[in-house]
Amino acid sequence: MAHYPNTPGMTGVLRPLRIEGDILDMEVEGEIPAQLNGTFHRVHPDAQFPPMFENDQFFNGDGMVSLFHFHDGKVDFRQRYAQTDKWKAERAAGKSLFGMYRNPLTDDESVKGMIRGTANTNVMVHAGKLYAMKEDSPCLIMDPLSLETEGYTNFDGKIKNQTFSGHGKIDPVTGNFCNHGYAATGVLTDDVSYFEIDPQGNVLFETFFKVPYYCMMHDFGLTQDYVIFHIVPITGNWDRLKAGKPHFGFDKTLPVYLGVLKRGADGSDIRWFKRDNCFASHVMNAYQDGTKIHFDTCEAKGNSFPFFPDIHDDSFDPVAARPFLTRWTVDLASNGDEFTSIEKLTDWIDEFPRIDERFIGQPYRHGWGLVMDPDMPMDFLRGRASGFKMNKIGHWDLVARTEDCWWAGPESIIQEPCFVPRSADAPEGDGYIIALVDNLITNYSDLVVLDALNLPAGPIARAKLPIRIRSGLHGNWADASKLPRAA
Amino acid sequence: MAHYPNTPGMTGVLRPLRIEGDILDMEVEGEIPAQLNGTFHRVHPDAQFPPMFENDQFFNGDGMVSLFHFHDGKVDFRQRYAQTDKWKAERAAGKSLFGMYRNPLTDDESVKGMIRGTANTNVMVHAGKLYAMKEDSPCLIMDPLSLETEGYTNFDGKIKNQTFSGHGKIDPVTGNFCNHGYAATGVLTDDVSYFEIDPQGNVLFETFFKVPYYCMMHDFGLTQDYVIFHIVPITGNWDRLKAGKPHFGFDKTLPVYLGVLKRGADGSDIRWFKRDNCFASHVMNAYQDGTKIHFDTCEAKGNSFPFFPDIHDDSFDPVAARPFLTRWTVDLASNGDEFTSIEKLTDWIDEFPRIDERFIGQPYRHGWGLVMDPDMPMDFLRGRASGFKMNKIGHWDLVARTEDCWWAGPESIIQEPCFVPRSADAPEGDGYIIALVDNLITNYSDLVVLDALNLPAGPIARAKLPIRIRSGLHGNWADASKLPRAA
């Protein structure tokens, strides 16, 4: 029977959920705007069976995809496991067979060589399919409405890379799905590829390049003409895996790089800029400004990931861990490899940045993200409910240089927000922010809908779940016109 | 969209759940005994759409069936709506079409004449099918494992009665499923039928009789040779339905009757005994003792149902409402219609009585039931969590005249327990008590497993749900040998 370990990563706020289910026409407080016509998919890690290693990373769990289908002013809920090869093998065995997070040395012999992915990082609709993504594995294809799994794809052999990162972006100009994969030729390798997939799902090109050092390349930036890669020393090596340590650790002795590659060019043409050591993971947006490139990311002085402590001494500094939205600028007209400027854009501690995605790669004005209580920075993944304080949604007007927020209250945490435009041709930022708000006392989650440019007014509507959805990673809106069949 | 009313019957502890879903291999604390090999089905009312009338009875909701499938020391969970004709019509319409609890005058014109049942009262496996029952309607047939609905049946036209009560009992000697239906010839009629269905699902006989007055005949007693009906004045009439009052009200001016009918005899042979006014609903057991019949029920001095207040003045007395396990005895050798004795068996306030069902209709020793906090008697259905104190499981040894209990703690309520014998030939009471324990703070439910003869030792195992199952009515165990196919 399923005995889950009594560890912080498996109890309290991080208790497994494991329920697949459906609710037709969710209970709603307030009114769902009639303009909301489409789907919001999001995903969380949810170990189908107790993990083989008690103190494994909380996010080494099987991807559980939640679908909120908005139509006719109603919201239907559906939740299903992403049926990865791992999930299927373990389902058949009735137990876990894959070991520690990104450490194939810890797997059961019976699954050696199998794709280890969990499809638990991001879900996005493209070309009528739902791409369920985890950066160590290929793309898993699911049906956007039934949530049935088709399986892994390498796009008719056209993607040679072994991995498909979680933060693929749809270029609003071309409609291409743009993504990269690191550890492209195997675990811990320093090969990366960049590729684009057209709106019909055909791979247009893939190009490979080497990075200065192996690191976790969780996200990237896209501009109209360039793709931008930040190299931050969340790094790893075989010695760590052999020793059973976490795959990644943070190395504060290494510099940070920003790679700029022209879209469509050969990977060998990538140009590297360099700066002092820091931490950065998610990217809000990037865009060109003449020969300059602005790259907006959440930067921290030190490592933000307590679960990947210092690679030399296993230390973790929760004050240095605090990320702030920051603009990195490099100039392609410069001769050196220095950054042009580094500008902190807020003093709110923030992560999970989002934008109006019709402005990906373009000059933009509005950003949103989760704002954290300064008294409890970034330690949430170690601890219980009391340590989990990501409970505001912030809005930044990067032109007026103003910020405002909505506070969900002391009992709640908020999962990554998502912007939905009011209409296809609405001005930038005119629309809604949707986000899951998890009450840690009642253990209920509400999907809240806010006016994106008036967050302080609070939710217009709450679609109420009778469960608390486990803390997840990322999710995306798809307009009804992008779905494979009529809603 | 689904706006549920902000009433006590739809918020707090009675908030709708509405999720259909599956969990493979539930998270368990402790160890599930390997002997537990079979299914526990239970059901609760769970309005698919907001009710047409805000202050309708909490239990006028669509039946949501939960299945806990025990096998190989594991427990799988499944939950599905009973797809009654009402459920299907409302699903198609996207809203409620049926009005108040058992008041057809309040229905939408489009559903006039349709079966109004919700299948939300009890679920029991017989002849390889799951019978989902509500006392105002025919029997709904479901698959015991998939929980797919087949539909209503009148058993090849052999049951003429329009209703099929929720407390059918399987005679351990013959294996027959024995049940009655009241309001047998239409809403508010004083016709009742009694029928038996053999282990293969064939109706053996049905016989009709009249009752002294129309009343809610929620349960009955079965002995080896007789069937016993208690007539308690939870009564109703067309004037109430026309006025939009609750279908039932309690009439303290009427006497109580006990009808005794020989199994297989014509209904006209029923013999009525009579006593003073009181309240009684559920039956623990009944058995013959020479010419005497003992009938053990939870008796209260006054009405126990706050939602069906006094028929004359709408009053409700929460102290008189407290039920106590009581033995009613009548003697078939007597000439009059008096009861021989009425013996209170406990001073614990208790309801939801259960036994080792291998002893239905037989002399028996052990009974179990829910015990209530005396400070908050029977008012739970009016109120919120704070008023809901059914939080002990009691055990009565009716030979040794001892009692003991397990207390789930101040934050919890317990749903109806169910006894499972350790093995087919284990002595009476040697086995397990299983019950849902709902934590009103965390909003999680655990299915607990206790040693039936050592309740104070507390749970042997807890199968843990990530949701709180809405307060339900009744449920039953089926041994794996009774299921339609191998587990």
Side-chain angles (χ1 to χ4, degrees), chain B residues 15-48:
Chain B
R15 180 181 169 188
L17 186 60
R18 301 174 69 239
I19 189 167
E20 297 183 293
D22 294 271
I23 300 173
L24 183 102
D25 195 5
M26 289 175 68
E27 185 183 351
V28 170
E29 271 178 27
E31 300 290 328
I32 300 291
Q35 296 95 327
L36 285 171
N37 191 18
T39 52
F40 175 57
H41 294 91
R42 47 76 66 197
V43 65
H44 69 262
D46 208 346
Q48 180 184 199

Coordinates of all heavy atoms in Angstrom, one line a residue, chain B residues 15-48:
Chain B
R15 N -21.0 22.1 2.3 CA -20.6 22.6 1.0 C -20.6 21.5 -0.1 O -20.1 20.4 0.2 CB -19.2 23.2 1.1 CG -18.7 23.7 -0.3 CD -17.3 24.3 -0.2 NE -16.9 24.5 -1.6 CZ -15.7 24.9 -2.0 NH1 -14.7 25.0 -1.1 NH2 -15.4 25.0 -3.2
P16 N -21.2 21.7 -1.3 CA -21.2 20.7 -2.3 C -19.7 20.2 -2.6 O -18.8 21.0 -2.5 CB -21.8 21.4 -3.5 CG -22.6 22.5 -2.9 CD -21.9 22.9 -1.7
L17 N -19.6 19.0 -3.1 CA -18.3 18.4 -3.5 C -18.2 18.4 -5.0 O -17.4 19.0 -5.6 CB -18.2 17.1 -2.8 CG -16.8 16.4 -2.9 CD1 -15.7 17.2 -2.3 CD2 -16.9 15.0 -2.3
R18 N -19.1 17.6 -5.6 CA -19.3 17.6 -7.0 C -18.2 17.1 -7.9 O -18.2 17.2 -9.1 CB -19.7 19.0 -7.5 CG -21.0 19.5 -6.8 CD -21.3 21.0 -7.2 NE -21.7 21.1 -8.5 CZ -21.1 21.9 -9.4 NH1 -20.0 22.6 -9.1 NH2 -21.6 22.0 -10.6
I19 N -17.2 16.5 -7.3 CA -16.0 16.0 -8.1 C -16.2 14.5 -8.3 O -16.4 13.8 -7.3 CB -14.7 16.4 -7.4 CG1 -13.5 16.0 -8.4 CG2 -14.5 15.7 -6.1 CD1 -12.2 16.6 -8.0
E20 N -16.1 14.1 -9.5 CA -16.0 12.7 -9.9 C -14.6 12.4 -10.1 O -13.9 13.2 -10.8 CB -16.8 12.4 -11.1 CG -18.3 12.7 -11.0 CD -19.1 12.3 -12.2 OE1 -18.9 13.0 -13.3 OE2 -19.9 11.4 -12.2
G21 N -14.1 11.3 -9.6 CA -12.6 11.1 -9.7 C -12.2 9.7 -9.3 O -13.0 8.8 -8.9
D22 N -10.9 9.5 -9.4 CA -10.2 8.3 -9.1 C -8.9 8.5 -8.4 O -8.1 9.4 -8.8 CB -9.9 7.5 -10.4 CG -11.2 7.1 -11.1 OD1 -11.6 6.0 -10.9 OD2 -11.7 7.9 -12.0
I23 N -8.6 7.7 -7.4 CA -7.2 7.6 -6.9 C -6.9 6.1 -6.8 O -7.6 5.3 -6.2 CB -7.2 8.2 -5.5 CG1 -7.6 9.6 -5.4 CG2 -5.8 8.0 -4.9 CD1 -7.7 10.2 -4.0
L24 N -5.8 5.8 -7.5 CA -5.3 4.4 -7.5 C -4.4 4.3 -6.2 O -3.5 5.1 -6.1 CB -4.5 4.1 -8.7 CG -4.0 2.7 -8.8 CD1 -4.9 1.9 -9.7 CD2 -2.5 2.6 -9.3
D25 N -4.6 3.3 -5.4 CA -3.7 3.0 -4.3 C -3.6 4.2 -3.4 O -2.5 4.8 -3.3 CB -2.3 2.6 -4.9 CG -1.4 1.9 -3.8 OD1 -1.9 1.6 -2.7 OD2 -0.3 1.6 -4.2
M26 N -4.6 4.4 -2.6 CA -4.7 5.5 -1.7 C -3.5 5.5 -0.7 O -3.0 4.5 -0.3 CB -6.0 5.4 -0.9 CG -7.2 5.7 -1.6 SD -8.7 5.5 -0.6 CE -8.5 6.8 0.6
E27 N -3.1 6.7 -0.4 CA -2.1 6.9 0.7 C -2.7 6.4 2.0 O -3.8 6.6 2.3 CB -1.9 8.5 0.8 CG -0.8 8.8 1.8 CD -0.7 10.4 1.9 OE1 -1.3 11.1 1.2 OE2 0.0 10.8 2.8
V28 N -1.8 5.6 2.7 CA -2.3 4.9 3.9 C -1.3 5.2 5.0 O -0.1 5.2 4.8 CB -2.4 3.4 3.6 CG1 -2.6 2.6 4.9 CG2 -3.5 3.1 2.6
E29 N -1.9 5.4 6.2 CA -1.2 5.4 7.4 C -1.5 4.1 8.2 O -2.7 3.7 8.2 CB -1.6 6.5 8.3 CG -0.8 7.8 8.1 CD -1.3 8.9 9.0 OE1 -1.8 8.6 10.1 OE2 -1.2 10.1 8.6
G30 N -0.6 3.4 8.7 CA -0.8 2.1 9.3 C -0.9 1.0 8.2 O -0.3 1.2 7.1
E31 N -1.5 -0.1 8.5 CA -1.5 -1.2 7.6 C -3.0 -1.7 7.4 O -3.7 -2.0 8.3 CB -0.7 -2.4 8.2 CG 0.8 -2.1 8.4 CD 1.6 -1.9 7.2 OE1 1.3 -2.5 6.2 OE2 2.5 -1.1 7.2
I32 N -3.4 -1.7 6.1 CA -4.7 -2.3 5.8 C -4.6 -3.8 6.0 O -3.8 -4.5 5.4 CB -5.0 -2.0 4.3 CG1 -5.1 -0.5 4.0 CG2 -6.3 -2.6 3.9 CD1 -6.2 0.3 4.7
P33 N -5.5 -4.4 6.8 CA -5.5 -5.8 7.0 C -5.7 -6.6 5.6 O -6.6 -6.2 4.9 CB -6.7 -6.1 7.9 CG -6.9 -4.8 8.6 CD -6.5 -3.7 7.6
A34 N -4.9 -7.6 5.4 CA -4.9 -8.3 4.2 C -6.3 -9.0 4.0 O -6.7 -9.3 2.9 CB -3.8 -9.3 4.1
Q35 N -7.0 -9.3 5.1 CA -8.3 -9.9 5.0 C -9.3 -9.0 4.3 O -10.4 -9.5 3.9 CB -8.9 -10.3 6.4 CG -8.1 -11.3 7.2 CD -7.1 -10.6 8.1 OE1 -6.5 -9.6 7.9 NE2 -6.8 -11.3 9.2
L36 N -9.1 -7.7 4.3 CA -10.1 -6.8 3.7 C -10.0 -6.9 2.2 O -9.1 -6.3 1.6 CB -9.9 -5.4 4.2 CG -10.4 -5.2 5.7 CD1 -9.9 -3.8 6.2 CD2 -11.9 -5.3 5.8
N37 N -10.9 -7.7 1.6 CA -10.8 -8.0 0.2 C -12.2 -7.9 -0.3 O -13.1 -8.8 -0.2 CB -10.3 -9.4 0.0 CG -10.0 -9.7 -1.4 OD1 -9.8 -8.8 -2.3 ND2 -9.9 -11.0 -1.8
G38 N -12.6 -6.7 -0.8 CA -13.9 -6.4 -1.3 C -14.1 -4.9 -1.5 O -13.1 -4.2 -1.7
T39 N -15.4 -4.5 -1.4 CA -15.7 -3.1 -1.7 C -16.5 -2.5 -0.6 O -17.4 -3.1 0.0 CB -16.5 -3.0 -3.0 OG1 -17.6 -3.9 -2.9 CG2 -15.7 -3.3 -4.2
F40 N -16.2 -1.2 -0.3 CA -17.1 -0.4 0.6 C -17.7 0.7 -0.3 O -16.9 1.5 -0.8 CB -16.3 0.2 1.7 CG -17.1 1.1 2.6 CD1 -18.3 0.7 3.2 CD2 -16.7 2.4 2.8 CE1 -19.1 1.6 4.0 CE2 -17.4 3.3 3.6 CZ -18.6 2.9 4.2
H41 N -19.0 0.6 -0.5 CA -19.7 1.7 -1.3 C -20.5 2.5 -0.3 O -21.0 2.0 0.6 CB -20.7 1.1 -2.3 CG -20.1 0.3 -3.4 ND1 -19.9 -1.1 -3.3 CD2 -19.7 0.7 -4.6 CE1 -19.4 -1.5 -4.5 NE2 -19.3 -0.5 -5.3
R42 N -20.5 3.8 -0.5 CA -21.3 4.7 0.3 C -21.8 5.9 -0.6 O -21.2 6.1 -1.7 CB -20.7 5.2 1.6 CG -19.3 5.7 1.4 CD -19.2 7.1 0.8 NE -19.8 8.1 1.7 CZ -20.1 9.3 1.3 NH1 -19.9 9.7 0.0 NH2 -20.6 10.2 2.1
V43 N -22.8 6.6 -0.2 CA -23.3 7.7 -1.1 C -23.7 8.9 -0.3 O -24.0 8.8 0.9 CB -24.6 7.1 -1.8 CG1 -25.7 6.7 -0.8 CG2 -25.1 8.0 -2.9
H44 N -23.6 10.1 -0.9 CA -24.0 11.3 -0.3 C -24.8 12.1 -1.3 O -24.6 12.0 -2.5 CB -22.9 12.1 0.3 CG -21.9 12.7 -0.7 ND1 -20.7 12.0 -1.1 CD2 -21.9 13.8 -1.4 CE1 -20.1 12.8 -2.0 NE2 -20.8 13.8 -2.2
P45 N -25.6 13.1 -0.9 CA -26.3 13.9 -1.8 C -25.4 15.1 -2.2 O -24.7 15.7 -1.4 CB -27.5 14.5 -0.9 CG -27.4 13.8 0.4 CD -26.0 13.3 0.5
D46 N -25.4 15.4 -3.5 CA -24.4 16.4 -4.0 C -25.0 17.0 -5.2 O -24.8 16.6 -6.4 CB -23.1 15.6 -4.3 CG -21.9 16.5 -4.2 OD1 -22.0 17.7 -4.2 OD2 -20.8 15.9 -4.2
A47 N -25.7 18.1 -5.0 CA -26.5 18.7 -6.1 C -25.6 19.1 -7.3 O -24.7 19.9 -7.2 CB -27.2 20.0 -5.6
Q48 N -25.9 18.4 -8.4 CA -25.2 18.6 -9.6 C -25.2 20.1 -10.1 O -24.2 20.6 -10.5 CB -25.7 17.7 -10.7 CG -25.1 17.9 -12.1 CD -25.7 17.1 -13.2 OE1 -25.1 16.8 -14.2 NE2 -26.9 16.6 -13.0

